[in-house]
Amino acid sequence: MAGRKERGAIAAMALAVTALVTTTAAAAALALPHTGFASSIGLAPTHEQQATRFATTAATDADDRARARDATMKSLRQAPANPTAWLRLAYLDSLEPAGLGSAGNRALAASWTVAPFGPDDSQWRLAFAFNHWAALDRPNRLAALEELKIAGRRVNSRQLRASVDDPSGRLALLLTLEEVRRARLARASQQP
């Protein structure tokens, strides 16, 4: 009987040590995402931090653009419902010499699939969409218009207007904001 209790105690201690080592390794990987150790652990938040770091210089460095894309894809394999990661892929695609293409449109669409109306990414996503209006496919244009209509008050429309330089996107934005404004006025006039 004593042998069975000792084996049970040893097994419990081994489990506790394994849990402690695993937790410590995960915490270290999250705290030090730019290290080789963090990469070897391969947690989605670590890949996200690496992708964000590389994306900051992706506009001027094609190697960092590739690194950001690689880290983002690793993150998405573990956490596919991350709208920010999908938006980063669309952004990275827009930096390619040909501009935003079908891969970027698919990534943008995926961001709406996983988080249709933000709220965390709405402001950036709408600015990106209206700034790439000419390159957006029809479903993404409709999604941008729908999000703008629904997100309305959560989006800083003044800041959004100031951030859109694409002429066709600016026109679509202004027309939609006017439609939203008129709908609000109509609702207000119908209230007692």
Side-chain angles (χ1 to χ4, degrees):
M1 191 74 163
R4 181 185 257 175
K5 284 185 182 181
E6 287 174 5
R7 284 193 305 269
I10 291 171
M13 191 179 316
L15 181 61
V17 168
T18 302
L20 179 64
V21 169
T22 304
T23 303
T24 302
L30 292 172
L32 304 166
H34 309 303
T35 63
F37 174 72
S39 293
S40 68
I41 297 292
L43 300 174
T46 301
H47 295 306
E48 273 298 293
Q49 290 177 358
Q50 291 170 343
T52 300
R53 182 175 57 117
F54 290 128
T56 59
T57 55
T60 57
D61 187 337
D63 290 338
D64 279 352
R65 191 163 45 249
R67 288 183 193 104
R69 186 176 289 109
D70 182 55
T72 301
M73 292 306 297
K74 287 178 182 175
S75 172
L76 284 170
R77 280 193 280 281
Q78 292 180 17
N82 180 344
T84 305
W86 288 111
L87 289 171
R88 186 181 313 106
L89 284 180
Y91 165 72
L92 293 169
D93 187 61
S94 76
L95 296 176
E96 293 298 328
L100 185 69
S102 60
N105 269 287
R106 282 191 306 275
L108 185 59
S111 80
W112 270 303
T113 299
V114 299
F117 304 112
D120 296 337
D121 294 308
S122 289
Q123 189 80 29
W124 190 93
R125 177 170 48 200
L126 288 170
F128 179 83
F130 286 107
N131 269 313
H132 294 86
W133 196 253
L136 290 188
D137 57 23
R138 181 171 166 70
N140 279 332
R141 285 182 180 187
L142 294 173
L145 296 173
E146 187 68 15
E147 181 172 22
L148 183 58
K149 290 174 187 175
I150 290 175
R153 295 188 182 203
R154 289 191 319 248
V155 172
N156 183 333
S157 59
R158 182 173 292 148
Q159 184 181 29
L160 186 58
R161 280 191 305 267
S163 68
V164 175
D165 297 322
D166 177 87
S168 59
R170 188 162 181 74
L171 178 61
L173 172 65
L174 294 175
L175 290 172
T176 306
L177 287 173
E178 179 60 21
E179 180 184 340
V180 168
R181 186 186 72 78
R182 287 182 183 196
R184 245 186 252 144
L185 289 174
R187 281 192 305 271
S189 69
Q190 293 174 353
Q191 293 179 354

